[in-house]
Amino acid sequence: MTESHTPIPMFNRPLAEDFSDADLEVTKPMDYAVGIEAVEKAMVPMEEHLGTEKTLKLSLTINHKKGFDCPSCAWANPDHSKALEFCENGIKNIVWDATPVVIEDSFWAENSLTSMLDKSEYWLGLQGRITKPMFKAEGSDHYVPISWDEALDKVAQSLTSLDSPDEAVFYTSGKIMNEPAFLLQLFARAFGTNNLPDCSNLCHEATGAGMTPAIGVGKSSVHYDDFAWSDLVIVMGQNPGTNHPRMLNALEDTKTRGGAVVAVNALPEASLKRYKNPQKVSGELGDGIKIADQFLQIRGGGDHHLIQAVAKRVLLAEQAAPGTVLDHDFIQTHCDGFEAYRDHILAVDDAEVLEATGLISEEIDGLAERYMKSEATIITWALGITQQKQGAATIAEIMNLLLLKGNIGKKGAGASPVRGHSNVQGDRTMGVWDKLPAAFAAALEKEFAFTPPSENGLDSVASMNALSEGKVKVFMSFAGNLVAAMSDSALAEDGVRNADLSVQVATKLNRSHIVTGKESLLLPVLVRAERDEQATGLQFVTAEDTVCRVNMSHGEIAPVSPDVKSDVWVIAELGKRVLGASHPRIDWQAFEDDYDTIRASISRVIPGFDDFNERIRTEKSFVLPHPPRDSRTFPTASGKAQFTLQQSEVIDVPEGRLLLQTLRAHDQHNTTIYSLNDRYRGIRKGRFVIFMHADDIAERGLVDGQTVDVFSEWPGEPDRVLRGYRVVAYPTVKGCAAMYFPEANVLVPRAAIDPVCNTPTSKQIVIRVEAGTQAAEGGRPIAV
Ligand SMILES: Nc1nc2c(c(=O)[nH]1)N[C@H]1C(S)=C(S)[C@@H](COP(=O)(O)OP(=O)(O)OC[C@H]3O[C@@H](n4cnc5c(=O)[nH]c(N)nc54)[C@H](O)[C@@H]3O)O[C@H]1N2
Ligand SMILES: Nc1nc2c(c(=O)[nH]1)N[C@H]1C(S)=C(S)[C@@H](COP(=O)(O)OP(=O)(O)OC[C@H]3O[C@@H](n4cnc5c(=O)[nH]c(N)nc54)[C@H](O)[C@@H]3O)O[C@H]1N2
Ligand code: SF4
Ligand SMILES: [Mo]
């Protein structure tokens, strides 16, 4: 295998040589997901790129008790694993990470930062692994190599010379594991700040905000096996075939045991129709299995009204035949607030529901019938629900509906948010949060003998706003790409340029490495598949999946370079330099040498991790306690599950405008673009497309395939524009359009947030589409 900095496209044969959208191909969307070709799509490039030996080693150890945790999504392993526990998109992530292609020194000399501003995320990622710490001096347009010692001394010096610890911000994504996450929050708090924004703020923040007031816990209340025992699974605002592919196995289990699946989505996603399980003969050779027994194609942002309308039908049926519909025992024994909730829901305006959802009454009747008949219902959701102005309110409403029939703490039933990054849930459990609950603060104080700051820190949106205002001097990021992932990315870029120092701890190049503070450091770390050797030997780390199971993970292959360190090592080295003298009870050297010492501290600080080291070694994985799930105990203020009253709101879309959602293509992981294809939606070799309903295209005097400009509007602000997009006629709801994230973040106004949890409303943007004159240029669309 050659090592060079020539980009080697991995999943896109024939290649999109010039990285432009000139060759875009559009075909009919598919009506099934996965199948044997999905495995081929992943395995052939894996073998070509990594060789047979690495391919075998990685594919047999991914998601296995003695192997490593898939770095892609947070979907759970079944309680009883099969020989092969991976999917096409997990493999893509691993090949992307474990590539032998590295960035050579000549690359940095040849490519100035300014010249790379024109490049796409796809191009940046294809350059290969970062293998050396790099430094960009103030006024310079190039990164140059720097030693680890010098790099870490620079960070330490910048941090210790700040006027206040709150001038520093430490961003993380859920790509980092429990052990580094625990150390990162410890470092920030011992340093004196709760400025710990994370990708959750942009993702599932609404889930915690909606669930916690209802049941006292903001995490999934189901076990993996509950899917098999469920009578009804309602999948809302989620595209499992692309973003959680092995969830289709769990839905197949539901169907096989006689349960039903209802999908609620703005788009007719292929995986919600049929699933061909590549590990079953019927999946490989036959038609596979039908997934959704009922599909509700909902208008963007209409889910809150839908849930209220279902609840109203349930309550009316109960009134008509008292004692036959609701779970009265559960409501009486375990819940508070039922009467007020009932009166509130009975007043729901039916006409408003139809307007907001775009559904017909019979469709809602059908779902309500299914819900009433089901003895055990699971509701799952993802970003179609959370990235809305009413995100937290909708989730609170989902909890109300579940409580009506006692669907919490019952076999086959529950609330199941399906999270994003593989360890995003674990990072929050480890305390990565801009808020610091009092009990967590007290436990940190007891363990490490310092008083953590009590005032809330900055979340992601607030951090970016503070950067724009020049209030953040040091911006440090682990495993993220915030300038691309953040709403109003043009504003985000200007903000980061205000920082004195930006520090990116990362594996491969992304936009946030090119758009920097005055000084900038790029610090290369191991990927999950690589072995992590420290002073006491080989280390392992842990991650928590979306159903609260903590899994062990050890890397299998040799690191790409000896200069690539672990996330733990980077934080511990910084800890020694910045806090070594002032915080003697924090033994950074011990943490760095032996990760068992980190887990020992976690077991004393965080409930549910008792005997962490022993249990993870003997059991390899264990499920964290969840009082509502385990014993119908509700850690709310009242000690009961709480019905809450949520106000619904119909989104105002002015005449002639459309409601835009921004979403993922099949060949991307967030801001990492594996190829320019989106197979299930029929898109090849291009990303600068806008999916629109045929009538919306015609009404604007446009034609399918035409080049357009897309403007987003926000009261009192100038329009944001992306030019040079291609119109694709697509079966969306009329009035609703879709474009790919992260490019479309140029259009998301910074002020567009869910007021409850400050999450950008990335699925709810008012836009105007006009005939365009310019084509997209090079790797990037033209943003004005
Ligand atoms: N391969 C791959 N896997 C991933 C990721 C990835 O980028 N690539 N990202 C990871 C991360 S961090 C996350 S958070 C998850 C994201 O997983 P998803 O939430 O599945 O991600 P999106 O692509 O944003 O898709 C959102 C879905 O919501 C639907 N939708 C949009 N608006 C509405 C609405 O108003 N109502 C309803 N009911 N539906 C709506 C869209 O049509 C789409 O199907 O995936 C994780 N897994
Ligand atoms: N418009 C719009 N915006 C969105 C969304 C949307 O749907 N629409 N989705 C939002 C969501 S759900 C999320 S989660 C965010 C995602 O935003 P982020 O989490 O900030 O972005 P990622 O693209 O996941 O960051 C990946 C980078 O992590 C680095 N990396 C990979 N593995 C490791 C590792 O093990 N250690 C370290 N230190 N670095 C590593 C690589 O360099 C890679 O470039 O975007 C959000 N933004
Ligand atoms: S479903 Fe998610 S965690 Fe599982 S193998 Fe696929 S990408 Fe990895
Ligand atoms: Mo996410």
Side-chain angles (χ1 to χ4, degrees), residues 402-525:
L402 289 169
L403 293 179
L404 283 178
K405 282 185 61 69
N407 279 310
I408 300 289
K410 175 160 83 175
K411 189 173 180 177
S416 189
V418 183
R419 306 233 182 217
H421 266 300
S422 62
N423 194 41
V424 63
Q425 187 160 313
D427 288 356
R428 189 54 68 80
T429 305
M430 291 297 119
V432 172
W433 201 14
D434 49 282
K435 301 176 182 59
L436 178 59
F440 201 101
L444 281 179
E445 181 153 7
K446 186 162 174 236
E447 175 74 5
F448 298 111
F450 75 94
T451 308
S454 54
E455 45 317 324
N456 290 345
L458 301 171
D459 64 13
S460 295
V461 165
S463 294
M464 277 297 167
N465 289 342
L467 274 158
S468 294
E469 290 160 15
K471 293 180 182 158
V472 177
K473 305 280 188 254
V474 177
F475 174 62
M476 185 158 188
S477 164
F478 287 80
N481 184 3
L482 194 53
V483 297
M486 175 52 61
S487 48
D488 202 336
S489 33
L491 184 65
E493 296 194 354
D494 290 345
V496 166
R497 290 197 170 96
N498 287 333
D500 291 337
L501 174 68
S502 58
V503 186
Q504 296 283 336
V505 183
T507 55
K508 290 186 112 181
L509 267 190
N510 67 40
R511 181 83 180 165
S512 295
H513 308 159
I514 306 305
V515 177
T516 68
K518 293 176 190 105
E519 289 187 317
S520 176
L521 283 160
L522 199 47
L523 306 179
V525 285

Side-chain angles (χ1 to χ4, degrees), residues 616-645:
I616 200 72
R617 280 199 169 72
T618 47
E619 298 166 37
K620 309 294 182 213
S621 76
F622 59 86
V623 177
L624 289 172
H626 187 299
R629 179 199 64 201
D630 300 338
S631 59
R632 291 189 159 177
T633 310
F634 296 94
T636 55
S638 64
K640 295 205 163 187
Q642 199 68 46
F643 283 98
T644 60
L645 308 188

Side-chain angles (χ1 to χ4, degrees), residues 317-352:
E318 173 70 22
Q319 273 186 349
T324 61
V325 181
L326 305 183
D327 184 340
H328 288 280
D329 277 355
F330 178 81
I331 294 172
Q332 266 160 24
T333 317
H334 296 293
C335 302
D336 242 7
F338 169 71
E339 285 77 14
Y341 165 74
R342 179 194 56 206
D343 298 347
H344 178 64
I345 291 295
L346 287 173
V348 162
D349 179 343
D350 297 330
E352 189 180 296

Side-chain angles (χ1 to χ4, degrees), residues 160 187 189-192 448-451 574-586 588:
T160 44
F187 176 83
R189 285 166 176 149
F191 179 62
F448 298 111
F450 75 94
T451 308
L574 213 50
K576 282 195 278 186
R577 285 169 169 79
V578 178
L579 303 165
S582 58
H583 291 69
R585 277 278 292 280
I586 310 179
W588 298 103

Side-chain angles (χ1 to χ4, degrees), residues 239 242-243 265 269 301 303 383 388 661 664 668 670 763:
N239 180 18
T242 287
N243 296 316
N265 201 297
E269 307 284 24
D303 302 80
L383 303 184
Q388 304 279 359
Q661 63 152 319
R664 288 148 177 77
Q668 79 182 78
N670 297 340
K763 301 285 188 275

Side-chain angles (χ1 to χ4, degrees), residues 188-241:
R189 285 166 176 149
F191 179 62
T193 183
N194 281 319
N195 287 348
L196 284 160
D198 71 342
C199 70
S200 252
N201 304 144
L202 312 173
C203 178
H204 264 278
E205 199 65 54
T207 291
M211 286 184 78
T212 310
I215 62 168
V217 178
K219 300 183 189 186
S220 171
S221 77
V222 308
H223 290 290
Y224 185 97
D225 281 352
D226 281 319
F227 282 90
W229 295 101
S230 186
D231 292 342
L232 174 65
V233 180
I234 308 175
V235 182
M236 301 188 72
Q238 198 192 341
N239 180 18

Side-chain angles (χ1 to χ4, degrees), residues 46-261:
M46 186 178 190
E47 172 134 18
E48 274 176 11
H49 205 74
L50 301 183
T52 309
E53 193 189 333
K54 255 193 200 172
T55 298
L56 271 177
K57 192 172 215 168
L58 290 171
S59 51
L60 289 172
T61 48
I62 178 171
N63 287 330
H64 270 268
K65 293 199 165 165
K66 287 191 184 143
F68 66 102
D69 189 61
C70 172
S72 189
C73 81
W75 184 249
N77 290 329
D79 295 343
H80 311 286
S81 299
K82 301 188 191 73
L84 300 177
E85 287 296 353
F86 58 80
C87 73
E88 175 192 354
N89 281 350
I91 290 296
K92 280 182 204 151
N93 194 319
I94 290 159
V95 178
W96 190 257
D97 280 357
T99 173
V101 179
V102 298
I103 301 182
E104 289 174 351
D105 289 353
S106 56
F107 173 88
W108 303 108
E110 283 161 18
N111 291 279
S112 67
L113 292 186
T114 307
S115 73
M116 286 191 277
L117 286 175
D118 281 345
K119 302 298 189 190
S120 64
E121 293 287 358
Y122 179 46
W123 186 92
L124 291 171
L126 282 179
Q127 304 311 312
R129 286 283 297 281
I130 309 163
T131 57
K132 289 181 182 162
M134 303 299 299
F135 174 62
K136 182 204 89 76
E138 184 162 3
S140 167
D141 202 17
H142 283 267
Y143 276 109
V144 292
I146 185 173
S147 73
W148 270 106
D149 268 339
E150 281 177 287
L152 292 161
D153 287 348
K154 264 188 196 301
V155 184
Q157 207 222 329
S158 297
L159 287 174
T160 44
S161 53
L162 293 176
D163 289 337
S164 150
D166 289 330
E167 290 177 343
V169 160
F170 303 94
Y171 173 74
T172 19
S173 86
K175 269 251 187 308
I176 73 166
M177 304 296 262
N178 286 333
E179 290 74 5
F182 182 77
L183 290 196
L184 181 65
Q185 63 81 34
L186 175 62
F187 176 83
R189 285 166 176 149
F191 179 62
T193 183
N194 281 319
N195 287 348
L196 284 160
D198 71 342
C199 70
S200 252
N201 304 144
L202 312 173
C203 178
H204 264 278
E205 199 65 54
T207 291
M211 286 184 78
T212 310
I215 62 168
V217 178
K219 300 183 189 186
S220 171
S221 77
V222 308
H223 290 290
Y224 185 97
D225 281 352
D226 281 319
F227 282 90
W229 295 101
S230 186
D231 292 342
L232 174 65
V233 180
I234 308 175
V235 182
M236 301 188 72
Q238 198 192 341
N239 180 18
T242 287
N243 296 316
H244 313 92
R246 285 190 310 144
M247 180 177 171
L248 297 173
N249 291 347
L251 296 178
E252 187 177 41
D253 291 348
T254 310
K255 304 288 309 241
T256 311
R257 288 191 65 92
V261 173

